Amino acid sequence: MTMGDVMGLMGRTFRDPKEGAAEVLSLGIPRESHFILVMLVVILFTIASSLPALLIGQTGSETASEGPSVLMTLVMQFGQMVLLIALVQGVGRMFGGTAVIEETTVLMCWLQFVMIFLLLAGFLIMIVSPQLGVFAILLGAGFQMWLLTHFVAVLHGFRSLWPVFFGILGAGFVIAFLLSILLAALGFVPPMPTGAA
């Protein structure tokens, strides 16, 4: 596929997510390429998410040193990507879905690729207007939920979108709750503000 083909597919995904999802699945990406596909979107997303610090000029500063390293960010993004694929596949199958892991992997990679472009657009808007940039990023997060709902419906053959949407929200809250318990058990607790002496 050329870049023009990719942008055309992205435009069709924006207009009709179900049609875009079906077209992505019809590409027939071989299973042997799925790991490379996951790593590609993880690397691209890591680069895109690191751009704000570079644009603000925080490279080498104290603020930049307080954040996670690029390698740690890469590992975290990979873990989140694997978790997303596992949840979409596993939870959907629990509720009678029919998706196979190969299709789930390809479509979640496509979702992440689309979100990279939306993230970059939000950062560019933020350079012009920080207020509009924050609004654009929040709008992009909502659009991600909209796309994910349609993609899950296509993958698992669900007809109604609302149950899928609320299922995603419910699964997200449960996972966030369990992760917070796990992090607290491991000692990763945010520092509490201290009062003035």
Side-chain angles (χ1 to χ4, degrees):
M1 295 181 67
T2 66
M3 182 56 65
D5 295 331
V6 172
M7 298 307 294
L9 180 55
M10 189 175 299
R12 292 189 291 277
T13 302
F14 288 159
R15 292 192 301 270
D16 188 340
K18 287 188 175 182
E19 178 186 344
E23 187 172 347
V24 170
L25 294 178
S26 69
L27 294 176
I29 299 176
R31 185 176 184 178
E32 295 77 14
S33 304
H34 289 180
F35 179 75
I36 298 175
L37 192 62
V38 171
M39 289 306 302
L40 176 62
V41 295
V42 166
I43 292 172
L44 290 176
F45 193 88
T46 300
I47 295 173
S49 60
S50 303
L51 286 179
L54 297 176
L55 293 174
I56 296 173
Q58 292 180 343
T59 53
S61 67
E62 181 179 353
T63 304
S65 63
E66 293 176 355
S69 65
V70 174
L71 179 60
M72 181 60 65
T73 303
L74 191 66
V75 172
M76 291 171 59
Q77 291 294 339
F78 180 79
Q80 291 176 9
M81 190 69 193
V82 172
L83 181 60
L84 174 63
I85 294 171
L87 286 175
V88 170
Q89 177 69 18
V91 176
R93 297 281 289 195
M94 285 174 54
F95 287 93
T98 58
V100 294
I101 189 64
E102 292 82 3
E103 292 181 341
T104 302
T105 301
V106 170
L107 208 51
M108 290 306 100
C109 286
W110 176 245
L111 173 67
Q112 191 79 336
F113 187 75
V114 171
M115 293 313 301
I116 291 172
F117 277 81
L118 293 180
L119 184 64
L120 291 175
F123 290 156
L124 291 177
I125 295 174
M126 187 175 291
I127 296 176
V128 179
S129 172
Q131 293 79 9
L132 287 178
V134 172
F135 176 76
I137 291 177
L138 291 176
L139 190 63
F143 187 71
Q144 181 180 23
M145 280 293 298
W146 184 64
L147 285 179
L148 180 59
T149 300
H150 285 80
F151 284 7
V152 170
V154 170
L155 282 168
H156 289 286
F158 298 139
R159 294 183 178 274
S160 180
L161 294 177
W162 283 111
V164 175
F165 175 75
F166 287 115
I168 292 172
L169 286 182
F173 281 125
V174 170
I175 294 300
F177 178 71
L178 294 177
L179 284 178
S180 65
I181 295 177
L182 176 62
L183 291 176
L186 294 175
F188 294 99
V189 180
M192 298 298 292
T194 57

